[in-house]
Amino acid sequence: MLQILRKSFATGVVTTSYPETPAEISPGARGRPEIDFANWKDARPAAEVCPTGAIAFADEGGVRTATLDLGKCVFCGLCAEVDSAIRMTNQCELAKRRREDLKFTAKYELNPDGTHKAMIVSSSLSGTGVPPARIETHGRDARATTVARPTNESFEATGRELQARIHKVLGRSLHIREVDAGSCNGCEIEIVGLNSPIYDVERFGIHFVASPRHADMLLVTGPVTRNMELALRKTYDAMPAPRLVVAVGACGCSGGIFGQNYASLGGVDKVLPVDVYVPGCPPNPHALLHGILQAIGRLDER
Ligand code: SF4
């Protein structure tokens, strides 16, 4: 007992204290890829190496429509290795309420050899629901960054906002039931991280519960295997209204690396109505909290 007490005192408090100490985020954390659409010379090499089809293109009548789908992206960085117009960032707050909002497209006029002659139009990242975070790039093509607000402050700000909304919409707390619908457990490790002494989301009034009958929100990971489909439906049906569904990770958003096949349905929205999509492979605790915040906002609007 004395040894335990001695060790506890020696360790001290590891939980991020608000508001004095912002949460730390690893500078090497990998987030979404960023494409310099204006200077993109050719979408084909990146589309060829992309393992999930997150980067894709379609040519028609001398015009190419190239797409980056963050709902499919596993943040592997292969595209950035073959294309200097693409770089990996550490931006992870990417949750969206509509699946289409995770897709970014650009149209190009083509040269005879299939390279891009000129950009006709492009969409851009917008509407994340929180102020833009500091975007840091790393790897081979690391360059200057866009700065609006340090990333390591984002968890704090998001947590405060979340707590306020939970109080307003749900009373004192938000109860979450998590269902692994066939994930590799990468997302589960990050979800467990939310409850770790470092993040300690119970401070914000968020509690994970065992019974769906006690839950306000269903957090679903995995591409939804056919074996888990019935269990997922039953869990959802057992929840009291109003209920929220958050699809976690590339698998939950789109089927990810598994896609749609004989064993996988290809994403949570193939089974249940999804309120918020949280991209990432896996999404880190900051990204998860940002997604939960988006979902609470949705409940607020009902
Ligand atoms: S980082 Fe995303 S877009 Fe790039 S190759 Fe990997 S999965 Fe595809």
Side-chain angles (χ1 to χ4, degrees):
M1 182 66 183
L2 202 60
Q3 265 187 340
I4 293 172
L5 285 173
R6 197 177 294 140
K7 194 174 176 189
S8 297
F9 282 122
T11 304
V13 177
V14 295
T15 307
T16 306
S17 60
Y18 294 129
E20 295 84 16
T21 313
E24 296 287 329
I25 187 167
S26 167
R30 185 169 274 182
R32 70 172 175 86
E34 185 176 70
I35 300 178
D36 181 359
F37 284 116
N39 295 307
W40 207 10
K41 299 291 179 220
D42 194 347
R44 292 173 298 181
E48 197 172 314
V49 297
C50 181
T52 61
I55 293 179
F57 66 90
D59 294 348
E60 196 179 334
V63 173
R64 171 169 296 156
T65 305
T67 310
L68 168 63
D69 183 352
L70 293 180
K72 289 184 177 176
C73 181
V74 292
F75 301 171
C76 67
L78 290 175
C79 52
E81 286 179 16
V82 300
D83 194 328
S84 60
I86 304 174
R87 53 186 174 169
M88 298 306 293
T89 75
N90 70 344
Q91 193 184 15
C92 60
E93 292 176 325
L94 304 169
K96 295 284 185 184
R97 295 181 188 176
R98 297 187 315 153
R99 181 70 182 83
E100 310 87 83
D101 291 343
L102 292 172
K103 296 175 186 170
F104 305 93
T105 58
K107 281 186 192 289
Y108 296 93
E109 197 181 326
L110 293 177
N111 289 314
D113 64 356
T115 55
H116 303 166
K117 186 176 180 186
M119 189 174 76
I120 301 167
V121 67
S122 79
S123 63
S124 61
L125 286 167
S126 63
T128 55
V130 294
R134 182 192 187 93
I135 300 171
E136 293 184 352
T137 57
H138 44 78
R140 200 163 63 97
D141 296 318
R143 300 174 215 167
T145 59
T146 305
V147 179
R149 173 171 72 91
T151 299
N152 58 5
E153 288 177 5
S154 60
F155 192 84
E156 175 187 350
T158 309
R160 280 192 198 148
E161 194 180 343
L162 180 56
Q163 192 171 28
R165 286 202 194 171
I166 287 172
H167 277 261
K168 184 175 167 226
V169 181
L170 292 166
R172 287 172 55 189
S173 59
L174 170 72
H175 290 173
I176 301 176
R177 176 68 164 92
E178 196 261 337
V179 171
D180 175 348
S183 89
C184 67
N185 284 350
C187 290
E188 273 65 32
I189 291 171
E190 299 297 329
I191 290 169
V192 167
L194 280 174
N195 272 325
S196 71
I198 305 289
Y199 295 102
D200 190 18
V201 288
E202 295 217 346
R203 283 172 301 162
F204 306 130
I206 300 172
H207 306 281
F208 284 84
V209 293
S211 170
R213 296 188 198 286
H214 302 157
D216 309 297
M217 179 183 289
L218 191 57
L219 209 57
V220 189
T221 63
V224 188
T225 59
R226 294 185 195 276
N227 283 345
M228 280 301 292
E229 181 186 359
L230 182 60
L232 184 58
R233 285 189 194 280
K234 283 186 171 180
T235 305
Y236 180 75
D237 290 344
M239 291 171 66
R243 52 199 166 183
L244 295 163
V245 178
V246 176
V248 175
C251 292
C253 291
S254 67
I257 201 85
F258 305 104
Q260 198 168 2
N261 57 49
Y262 74 96
S264 157
L265 293 169
V268 180
D269 60 7
K270 299 289 189 299
V271 183
L272 299 178
V274 171
D275 292 287
V276 169
Y277 298 85
V278 184
C281 189
N284 64 28
H286 294 78
L288 290 167
L289 197 66
H290 178 247
I292 292 169
L293 173 62
Q294 298 276 317
I296 296 289
R298 184 139 198 166
L299 194 60
D300 210 358
E301 291 161 10
R302 283 183 186 168

